[in-house]
Amino acid sequence: MTQSGRIHSRIAGTGSYLPEKVLTNADLEKIVETSDEWIQSRTGIKERHIAAKGQTSSDLGYEAAIRALEAAGVAAADLDMILVGTTTPDLVFPSTACLIQILLGAEGCAAMDVNAACSGFLFALSVADKFIRTGDAKTILVIGTETLTRIVDWTERTTCVLFGDGAGAVVLKADAETGILSTHLHADGSKKDLLTCPVGVSAGFDNSKPNAGLGIQMKGSDVFKYAVKALDGVVDETLRANGLDKHDLDWLIPHQANLRIIEATAKRLEMSMDQVVVTVDKHGNTSSASVPLALDAAVRSGKVKRGQLLLLEAFGGGFTWGSALLRY
């Protein structure tokens, strides 16, 4: 512990996984009325990965998890908890976290899912941080994993081009040094109709429609405006809570949904795009997986180094949004 007697949670290792199948913008041109130029100019996306038949969110999450555990030098048996951010679970129950636990051979530790749409990983990370800070856990695996292409309406050209499948993970360990400085979470359910997938176990499914009525519905321009405003607010809140200035940040690691939203946030922070981790071009919007995917890519490429100050942020359906400020 530190001199103040406080426990901190530090990221000890990162990992990620993308399915083998790649769907390019050129491929999408053959499915719906769209073009590579249209997609790239509005989203920055060039391609996305698609889970294979029978490949589930737990499968993707497991692959990311074993990479994170290896990077952290942690055995699955040493885990006190597994938290999974996902909006596309394998089953109603058991939870995706429990299914990943089985694959890892980590039976006995606590395991649960957190559904906050695209903010799911940050919500799960915040929960993990609190467990470590209170001393109730020392080692926690946090995963964001999604198979969003399973709930995409491939006839809806404005949304089907956006989403992809993937998973990212981190291992958090109790540490005497400062790791996560703070997390900030918010939601506004009154905006639910602007970004939704309006089917489910309790509400039911419309079997008269293709794909059992599944399909992400989004009012893009409204979501864009609200997202930029909400992210601006949570960034200010985060810096203010830590007595820091935006120029103190080394890296912005944002939710990888839309390059224009990322650029708007970077401009607000007066950060060069050279200080922003961008991976949306390679895998599209992978919801709760996107932040840990981007973080792992930055760590493994050598961009992010120990001791640097990172701001993670995300915005998703709900609406939900949140941030995490950490010293890597």
Side-chain angles (χ1 to χ4, degrees):
M1 293 194 296
T2 62
Q3 291 180 346
S4 64
R6 296 178 63 185
I7 304 172
H8 301 282
S9 60
R10 179 183 289 274
I11 293 178
T14 66
S16 61
Y17 178 77
L18 291 166
E20 291 184 12
K21 182 180 178 180
V22 175
L23 188 70
T24 66
N25 291 347
D27 294 328
L28 279 169
E29 289 176 353
K30 302 171 185 176
I31 300 174
V32 291
E33 185 181 346
T34 190
S35 70
D36 176 63
E37 189 279 330
W38 189 91
I39 298 169
Q40 283 204 53
S41 64
R42 286 162 177 78
T43 69
I45 299 169
K46 297 179 181 178
E47 59 187 33
R48 68 287 297 146
H49 291 248
I50 310 294
K53 184 178 180 180
Q55 192 175 37
T56 64
S57 291
S58 66
D59 292 327
L60 305 188
Y62 165 73
E63 294 292 342
I66 58 175
R67 288 161 174 78
L69 288 167
E70 181 182 10
V74 170
D78 295 330
L79 292 173
D80 299 310
M81 179 176 287
I82 300 170
L83 294 173
V84 175
T86 187
T87 193
T88 51
D90 291 25
L91 307 168
V92 176
F93 61 85
S95 69
T96 304
C98 283
L99 298 176
I100 293 174
Q101 182 194 56
I102 296 167
L103 294 172
L104 290 173
E107 291 88 342
C109 70
M112 67 177 181
D113 290 357
V114 177
N115 183 352
C118 298
S119 307
F121 173 78
L122 286 180
F123 274 56
L125 187 72
S126 181
V127 172
D129 178 53
K130 302 304 184 293
F131 267 93
I132 289 178
R133 283 178 181 264
T134 60
D136 286 340
K138 292 182 178 179
T139 308
I140 301 179
L141 174 65
V142 185
I143 304 167
T145 183
E146 303 283 9
T147 46
L148 281 174
T149 61
R150 302 274 163 78
I151 57 171
V152 164
D153 181 350
W154 292 103
T155 67
E156 178 47 64
R157 69 189 188 99
T158 59
T159 56
C160 74
V161 302
L162 302 176
F163 301 101
D165 303 329
V170 302
V171 174
L172 282 186
K173 295 188 71 175
D175 202 292
E177 301 298 325
T178 300
I180 295 178
L181 295 167
S182 67
T183 59
H184 305 266
L185 308 177
H186 297 278
D188 183 356
S190 70
K191 306 296 189 298
K192 63 182 179 65
D193 293 332
L194 298 181
L195 178 55
T196 183
C197 184
V199 295
V201 177
S202 185
F205 293 80
D206 185 351
N207 294 312
S208 68
K209 297 180 180 179
N211 200 23
L214 288 175
I216 298 170
Q217 299 176 10
M218 182 175 69
K219 296 180 180 178
S221 60
D222 291 330
V223 173
F224 179 89
K225 292 173 185 175
Y226 200 101
V228 170
K229 183 179 178 181
L231 292 174
D232 278 354
V234 80
V235 165
D236 286 342
E237 176 188 0
T238 304
L239 294 173
R240 187 168 57 249
N242 292 279
L244 295 171
D245 182 84
K246 54 192 173 185
H247 298 107
D248 293 322
L249 297 172
D250 291 304
W251 289 99
L252 172 66
I253 303 182
H255 171 42
Q256 307 291 317
N258 184 305
L259 183 58
R260 292 193 295 175
I261 295 177
I262 295 172
E263 289 173 339
T265 304
K267 184 178 180 180
R268 174 74 171 76
L269 287 167
E270 297 178 7
M271 295 182 76
S272 162
M273 287 301 290
D274 291 335
Q275 294 176 272
V276 181
V277 178
V278 178
T279 57
V280 66
D281 57 315
K282 298 179 179 66
H283 55 63
N285 184 348
T286 55
S287 188
S288 65
S290 77
V291 170
L293 272 168
L295 174 61
D296 184 54
V299 168
R300 291 178 184 266
S301 69
K303 288 182 177 181
V304 168
K305 297 177 173 59
R306 286 293 177 188
Q308 292 185 322
L309 190 63
L310 281 53
L311 176 62
L312 283 53
E313 46 92 342
F315 180 91
F319 286 146
T320 64
W321 64 99
S323 69
L325 185 70
L326 61 95
R327 185 75 63 180
Y328 181 68

